[in-house]
């Protein structure tokens, strides 16, 4: 074999190797593009689902805030009613004390009661 033939064979072999490498890299790039497209498709599907979850979470949070505000209003109303009940209870106790004094006074004035007892307790 001549030197020229060896050089031609080496050049052809190098070209074949380079073309093979180029084709392999091209195939890998296409595979990666397809894989990326598949990942993007799945992500787009998840985007809708996650958006719905986020909307649901915000809706529930809004309901929670409304319920909390309502509970605060009810607590304030309960506190106000408790204060009113205490005022009425104190007024009733004062009235009861005044009434008891009237009963005692009536018993003292009544000549038919013996030593401060009412005539009904005979």
């Amino acid at each position: 074999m001549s030197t020229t033939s060896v050089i031609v064979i080496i050049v052809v072999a190098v070209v074949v190797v380079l073309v093979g490498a180029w084709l392999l890299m091209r195939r890998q790039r296409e595979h990666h593009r397809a894989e990326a497209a598949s990942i993007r498709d799945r992500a787009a599907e998840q985007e809708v689902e996650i958006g719905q979850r986020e909307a649901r979470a915000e809706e529930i949070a809004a309901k929670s805030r409304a319920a909390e505000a309502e509970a605060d209003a009810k607590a304030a109303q309960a506190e106000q009613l408790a204060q009113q009940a205490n005022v009425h209870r104190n007024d009733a106790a004062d009235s009861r004390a005044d009434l008891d004094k009237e009963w005692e006074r009536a018993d003292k004035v009544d000549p038919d009661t013996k030593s401060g007892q009412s005539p009904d307790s005979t």
Side-chain angles (χ1 to χ4, degrees):
M1 240 194 230
S2 71
T3 309
T4 307
S5 297
V6 172
I7 292 175
V8 169
I9 291 174
I10 292 174
V11 169
V12 169
V14 169
V15 169
V16 168
V17 169
L18 290 175
V19 168
W22 178 77
L23 288 174
L24 181 62
M25 287 182 0
R26 184 174 160 202
R27 192 177 331 165
Q28 284 179 337
R29 268 189 256 142
E30 287 301 318
H31 175 72
H32 288 155
R33 282 186 187 112
E35 185 179 359
S38 175
I39 291 169
R40 285 186 182 100
D41 288 344
R42 286 193 308 267
E45 290 172 5
Q46 290 177 356
E47 182 76 32
V48 172
E49 182 181 331
I50 290 172
Q52 291 172 343
R53 286 182 186 175
E54 290 170 338
R56 180 70 176 143
E58 187 54 40
E59 177 185 343
I60 292 171
K63 286 181 181 180
S64 172
R65 288 188 298 272
E68 189 174 336
E70 184 178 337
D72 290 345
K74 291 285 186 183
Q77 182 182 14
E79 179 64 29
Q80 184 181 19
L81 289 172
Q83 289 175 0
Q84 289 176 2
N86 283 336
V87 168
H88 288 291
R89 195 174 293 119
N90 289 339
D91 288 348
D94 291 345
S95 296
R96 173 59 65 190
D98 291 345
L99 181 63
D100 288 346
K101 287 179 185 176
E102 285 297 308
W103 282 111
E104 288 175 17
R105 193 172 129 225
D107 287 345
K108 287 180 184 177
V109 171
D110 188 355
D112 294 332
T113 58
K114 296 180 186 174
S115 65
Q117 291 182 341
S118 70
D120 295 337
S121 62
T122 54

